[in-house]
Amino acid sequence: MRAERVFAYGAAAGLLGDHLLGDPRRGHPVAAFGRAAGAVERLLWRDHRGWGVLHTAVCAGGAAALGLAADRAVRHSPAASVALTAAATWAVVGGTSLAREASAVGRALEAGDVEAARARLPHLCGRDPQALDADGIARAVVESVAENTSDAVVGALAWGALGGVPGLVGFRAVNTLDAMVGHKSPRYRRYGWASARLDDLAGWPGARLTAALATAAGGDPRGAVRAWRADAAQHPSPNAGPVEASFAGALGVRLGGTLSYGGRVEHRPVLNGAAGRPVRAGSGDIERAVRLSRRVGWLALGACAGARLLVRGVVKKGRTS
């Protein structure tokens, strides 16, 4: 079986597995990687970029190497190759858990239980819940759904299409490292620099694909394109900017503005400010974002699998012409 078909069948099975099962409560491979990366950090940490580069190389490179070794071990068995791709896809994508957590916060807000929503918000993002009112929590959830659609679903599928199982595993390793050490705290400003920059690079294709698919699948394609073009570059993140701007335009809401992380207040540009309305708790905005995220995930599977098949066809035609 050709590699492009292995990816198509395996990724489809893995994404379906995530849709039906979600993440396991215990023994998740990503959690195991996080523990291993934490152990490497305890061994290597120095307040120096060079040591951070080594940490990133050991952890991300080691994960990709394990994926490559597993892929080569089953390459002579099409069924085993599909099964391995399915397992890797299921392990690295997190669309169902994202939707469940977002919907749980949304239900709490619908019921008027702001304290329950605050307690649940840290499962989604690192905002300071106590600094947010009900509308602020709803906006944080919509922004998190948009950004994590790229990080937890589309980016992994894009790298799976590019690199098979090593691409899937390597992307998730890089993304996890960024979440662990890639933030600008005093401890990680230098040590986490390499992980943050590598995550920006790895996230680039998935973010643009996510923005394009959100534009196509949302309720207002013109609004999504307008917000993407006008506002994405103003966001401090090169990848979150296109994703959040396109989601804002597609949903007809405003995202961005003032937020608080770990006691640090940031004033970010408003996305889709000219045409969007504020996100409101209890308005259904969270569920609309979740539905859009799900559509984007399945469209990404089709786009990535189709791209691999198309490239294979073009290469084959070129060789025979």
Side-chain angles (χ1 to χ4, degrees), residues 5 13 39 45 78 108 114 145 195 199 206 219 235 247 275 291-292 310 318:
R5 293 190 178 183
W45 187 89
V114 178
V145 167
S195 292
D199 183 68
H235 197 286
F247 262 71
R291 289 195 296 270
L292 178 57
L310 179 62

Side-chain angles (χ1 to χ4, degrees), residues 127 132 139 143 256-261 264-268:
R127 307 281 177 89
L132 298 172
R139 175 168 65 86
E143 291 171 356
T258 302
L259 50 85
S260 177
Y261 282 104
R264 185 182 73 255
V265 176
E266 294 185 14
H267 300 283
R268 292 184 177 176

Side-chain angles (χ1 to χ4, degrees), residues 192-222:
W193 173 84
S195 292
R197 297 292 75 76
L198 184 58
D199 183 68
D200 286 342
L201 181 64
W204 197 96
R208 274 72 194 167
L209 179 58
T210 302
L213 294 177
T215 297
D220 186 0
R222 290 185 178 180

Side-chain angles (χ1 to χ4, degrees), residues 88-172:
T89 302
W90 170 77
V92 303
V93 300
T96 295
S97 292
L98 172 65
R100 286 175 179 171
E101 292 298 336
S103 296
V105 177
R107 287 192 298 271
L109 293 174
E110 291 276 359
D113 193 345
V114 178
E115 288 305 315
R118 286 194 179 112
R120 197 84 189 217
L121 186 62
H123 292 259
L124 275 172
C125 62
R127 307 281 177 89
D128 292 334
Q130 300 305 319
L132 298 172
D133 60 9
D135 291 343
I137 293 172
R139 175 168 65 86
V141 171
V142 172
E143 291 171 356
S144 182
V145 167
E147 184 174 1
N148 282 293
T149 299
S150 177
D151 288 344
V153 183
V154 181
L157 292 173
W159 278 99
L162 290 169
V165 171
L168 287 164
V169 175
F171 174 80
R172 175 54 60 218

Side-chain angles (χ1 to χ4, degrees), residues 139 142-143 244 247-249 251-257 270-280 285:
R139 175 168 65 86
V142 172
E143 291 171 356
E244 291 186 18
F247 262 71
L251 297 170
V253 299
R254 293 200 299 267
L255 299 178
V270 175
L271 308 176
N272 199 38
R277 59 170 177 78
V279 176
R280 297 296 187 193
D285 288 334

Side-chain angles (χ1 to χ4, degrees), residues 176-242:
T176 303
L177 286 175
D178 179 62
M180 294 177 67
V181 304
H183 37 89
K184 294 181 179 179
S185 66
R187 177 177 174 84
Y188 296 123
R189 191 175 303 276
R190 283 181 283 271
Y191 187 81
W193 173 84
S195 292
R197 297 292 75 76
L198 184 58
D199 183 68
D200 286 342
L201 181 64
W204 197 96
R208 274 72 194 167
L209 179 58
T210 302
L213 294 177
T215 297
D220 186 0
R222 290 185 178 180
V225 170
R226 183 174 57 248
W228 183 0
R229 293 180 61 184
D231 300 328
Q234 307 303 316
H235 197 286
S237 168
N239 295 326

